[in-house]
Amino acid sequence: MINYNGRKFVSIENTDNGEVSSETLFEYKQEGNIISATYSGGEIIKGFLIGIVKEDECLEFRYNHVNIKNEIRGGKCTSTPKILPDGRIRLYENWKWLDDKETEGNSIIEEVVENH
């Protein structure tokens, strides 16, 4: 099973109705099958997500953030992991805003590895 604890991700692709961009950094933590992350950057001032790693290794979580327009936004997401040839993780995400519009979208985030 993939362990997400301490891993960092950035968006490499998103649909137009999303607010996450290549400037948004996600920092994941994991305890057992519970995942959480903080994220910020680009249009997002501060965000949090919490969810679970399911038995099929997909992630299911809820997210909430405050954007640069000072709006509180949130939704739900299912992410499917793929291990890249270099060992990093790519997550294919299907998400849905849980607001009055309830629009859906797709994004891809990819692990970033810091060079020491």
Side-chain angles (χ1 to χ4, degrees):
M1 179 181 278
I2 299 169
N3 189 322
Y4 292 88
N5 197 49
R7 295 183 188 255
K8 297 178 182 181
F9 295 83
V10 294
S11 177
I12 60 168
E13 194 175 299
N14 201 357
T15 43
D16 290 341
N17 58 332
E19 295 187 343
V20 167
S21 70
S22 61
E23 299 172 0
T24 311
L25 178 68
F26 293 80
E27 298 187 56
Y28 274 71
K29 293 187 172 148
Q30 182 173 345
E31 298 172 38
N33 71 329
I34 298 172
I35 54 151
S36 62
T38 57
Y39 59 100
S40 61
E43 291 186 41
I44 297 168
I45 297 171
K46 191 166 193 71
F48 298 95
L49 66 84
I50 189 155
I52 57 171
V53 181
K54 300 191 316 186
E55 287 189 16
D56 62 4
E57 293 208 341
C58 289
L59 309 180
E60 187 175 311
F61 60 84
R62 302 288 187 271
Y63 59 89
N64 284 284
H65 64 248
V66 175
N67 64 22
I68 56 175
K69 299 175 192 167
N70 219 29
E71 298 169 324
I72 301 167
R73 302 214 57 203
K76 63 182 180 177
C77 182
T78 301
S79 296
T80 304
K82 178 183 178 189
I83 305 294
L84 299 173
D86 63 7
R88 293 179 302 127
I89 302 168
R90 180 180 287 163
L91 292 169
Y92 294 88
E93 303 185 313
N94 297 308
W95 49 264
K96 181 176 183 176
W97 291 112
L98 295 177
D99 56 18
D100 51 350
K101 294 183 184 139
E102 290 199 345
T103 58
E104 297 182 35
N106 300 291
S107 55
I108 301 171
I109 65 171
E110 196 168 273
E111 185 177 4
V112 290
V113 178
E114 297 170 349
N115 295 327
H116 295 287

